[in-house]
Amino acid sequence: MRNIKTIVLGTILIALIGAHPAMSQAVKYAQAGLSYLQIAPSADVAALGGTYVSTTGKATSVFSNPAGLGLLRGADVSAGYVAWIADIALYSMAGAYHIENVGVFGVNLVSMDYGSLRGTRPWQSGDDPSLRDQGYIDLGDFTVNDFAFGISYARSITSQFYVGGNVRYARQDLSPNINVAIIDAITGGIVDNSENVVTNVVFDFGTLYYPGFHDLRFGASLRNFSNQSDYFDQRFELPLTLDFGLAMDVFQLMNEASGPSNSKLTVAMDWVHPRDYSERLHLGVEYGFMDLFFLRGGYKFNYDEESFTGGLGVHLETGGYGLRADYAYSAFGDFFGSANRLSVSLLMK
């Protein structure tokens, strides 16, 4: 058993070192579709700079590292709202239930609301001649619908090692109710687009390991693994992301001599390998007082717009029930402004 633990820990450490942004010079831009799958729905994760490993024992772990579900006891139901950039909104729901000696089962849903959009297409011969100088035809308003629904499972392999997975059905509907023109890249003609729908099956995998040094944990997750998607004459990948991270309550080190503390200071760090961008580094810090009040902050490195994050949370528990509420703020620079998230969860033990 000790040899297995050593191998697992060594593999994770090597991966963490190799994941550092300085180790890769690849330049990757706009190489993935269905990008809404990259948005973190959970306020606590977003406030911590997008660090995923530290979010354990919650239903919302399915959106980051599904292995974190393995630490859940009882049941957890969560709902979230993200006020994204450009007046776009994301809604999420997640639920998980622990069955003794079997594991943790969960369900999850994310849905995007883009509001009303305006459709146009290039002017073609045969259209109203008076609109030729305008150069386009106004097709009126239309809506776009994105959502992903999934089921999850996680369990402990040993008392220190957890695994989890998530399978989701993802769909993007660019509105069949309006003939928004798609131009063929070769012929230049208008392609029939009566459906405007893209679907795919998406898989997420995760691991979480506690080496036995206080609450230090290492984790890895692979998110948005799928086949290629086809949209008319275009083929694209989904936003596959490989993430390695670690987290620990540093107050446990300081309080070894003085005994237990009613406060925690969790420091988290993630190395993120996205398909559509070069490697990124996420840092997060959370101060928790008596498992009741939480103050969070973080920073995202190697982003064009995102940078500082912050937030707070409160956790009330009585009679085997708990209520958790979290808020997060994410800075996006002068052009996009900011994004705000709110998550509310009900726990039953």
Side-chain angles (χ1 to χ4, degrees), residues 5 8-9 12 160-161 207-211 216-219:
K5 293 179 179 178
V8 172
L9 180 58
I12 293 175
Q160 296 171 272
F161 187 59
T207 62
L208 188 65
Y209 177 62
Y210 286 77
L216 175 66
R217 59 264 197 197
F218 300 93

Side-chain angles (χ1 to χ4, degrees), residues 42-46 48 51-78 94-97 104-108 152 154 208 217 286 291 294 296 312-315 324-326 343-347:
S42 309
D44 54 347
V45 169
L48 281 167
T51 53
Y52 300 111
V53 175
S54 59
T55 58
T56 59
K58 302 176 182 178
T60 52
S61 296
V62 300
F63 298 124
S64 50
N65 182 358
L69 282 178
L71 284 86
L72 177 69
R73 294 297 178 265
D76 185 13
V77 178
S78 177
Y97 181 71
V104 180
F105 294 87
V107 295
N108 57 85
S152 312
L208 188 65
R217 59 264 197 197
E286 176 187 80
D291 286 330
F294 300 89
R296 306 179 179 104
L312 49 86
V314 60
H315 182 185
R324 185 174 61 244
D326 298 293
S343 300
V344 179
S345 302
L346 176 64
L347 300 90

Side-chain angles (χ1 to χ4, degrees), residues 21-349:
M23 301 297 292
S24 175
Q25 302 299 324
V27 178
K28 303 174 289 183
Y29 299 113
Q31 296 181 359
L34 304 188
S35 58
Y36 71 93
L37 296 173
Q38 293 176 302
I39 301 175
S42 309
D44 54 347
V45 169
L48 281 167
T51 53
Y52 300 111
V53 175
S54 59
T55 58
T56 59
K58 302 176 182 178
T60 52
S61 296
V62 300
F63 298 124
S64 50
N65 182 358
L69 282 178
L71 284 86
L72 177 69
R73 294 297 178 265
D76 185 13
V77 178
S78 177
Y81 168 74
V82 181
W84 197 238
I85 60 176
D87 294 327
I88 298 172
L90 181 143
Y91 301 91
S92 65
M93 294 188 67
Y97 181 71
H98 174 259
I99 301 177
E100 194 69 30
N101 299 321
V102 177
V104 180
F105 294 87
V107 295
N108 57 85
L109 172 69
V110 294
S111 177
M112 296 290 290
D113 181 4
Y114 297 93
S116 181
L117 305 175
R118 198 72 173 177
T120 63
R121 66 168 175 80
W123 185 91
Q124 299 281 316
S125 60
D127 290 331
D128 187 345
S130 65
L131 299 177
R132 180 173 183 175
D133 292 339
Q134 176 177 285
Y136 67 92
I137 303 299
D138 191 334
L139 300 176
D141 293 337
F142 71 101
T143 58
V144 174
N145 297 303
D146 291 346
F147 75 87
F149 172 79
I151 56 176
S152 312
Y153 175 74
R155 65 164 300 156
S156 60
I157 303 301
T158 70
S159 60
Q160 296 171 272
F161 187 59
Y162 301 82
V163 297
N166 190 29
V167 55
R168 292 188 285 174
Y169 171 78
R171 175 184 172 96
Q172 181 175 78
D173 184 348
L174 299 179
S175 181
N177 300 320
I178 184 171
N179 187 26
V180 179
I182 301 296
I183 306 301
D184 188 287
I186 299 176
T187 66
I190 297 176
V191 181
D192 177 25
N193 61 338
S194 56
E195 292 190 4
N196 297 329
V197 174
V198 176
T199 62
N200 212 324
V201 178
V202 185
F203 297 92
D204 307 315
F205 308 96
T207 62
L208 188 65
Y209 177 62
Y210 286 77
F213 181 72
H214 297 291
D215 71 337
L216 175 66
R217 59 264 197 197
F218 300 93
S221 67
L222 180 68
R223 302 189 303 279
N224 304 321
F225 178 81
S226 69
N227 290 324
Q228 292 179 325
S229 291
D230 292 297
Y231 189 72
F232 297 101
D233 61 342
Q234 301 296 318
R235 173 165 290 184
F236 61 89
E237 309 279 356
L238 269 62
L240 180 70
T241 303
L242 180 61
D243 182 25
F244 300 94
L246 56 86
M248 181 181 179
D249 173 19
V250 297
F251 276 178
Q252 290 191 12
L253 294 175
M254 303 176 186
N255 295 319
E256 281 184 329
S258 59
S261 170
N262 59 5
S263 297
K264 292 183 179 181
L265 185 65
T266 300
V267 178
M269 182 181 299
D270 279 22
W271 290 266
V272 184
H273 293 245
R275 164 172 276 151
D276 56 350
Y277 205 84
S278 53
E279 283 66 20
R280 291 162 163 174
L281 175 65
H282 296 176
L283 296 177
V285 178
E286 176 187 80
Y287 172 74
F289 178 70
M290 299 182 64
D291 286 330
L292 181 62
F293 298 106
F294 300 89
L295 184 64
R296 306 179 179 104
Y299 193 88
K300 295 184 174 183
F301 294 89
N302 196 28
Y303 281 75
D304 292 333
E305 293 293 337
E306 294 187 70
S307 56
F308 290 101
T309 64
L312 49 86
V314 60
H315 182 185
L316 304 174
E317 187 171 335
T318 180
Y321 292 88
L323 179 64
R324 185 174 61 244
D326 298 293
Y327 166 78
Y329 169 90
S330 301
F332 271 84
D334 295 335
F335 184 78
F336 289 108
S338 63
N340 295 273
R341 293 171 173 85
L342 180 64
S343 300
V344 179
S345 302
L346 176 64
L347 300 90
M348 295 159 281
K349 296 185 178 180

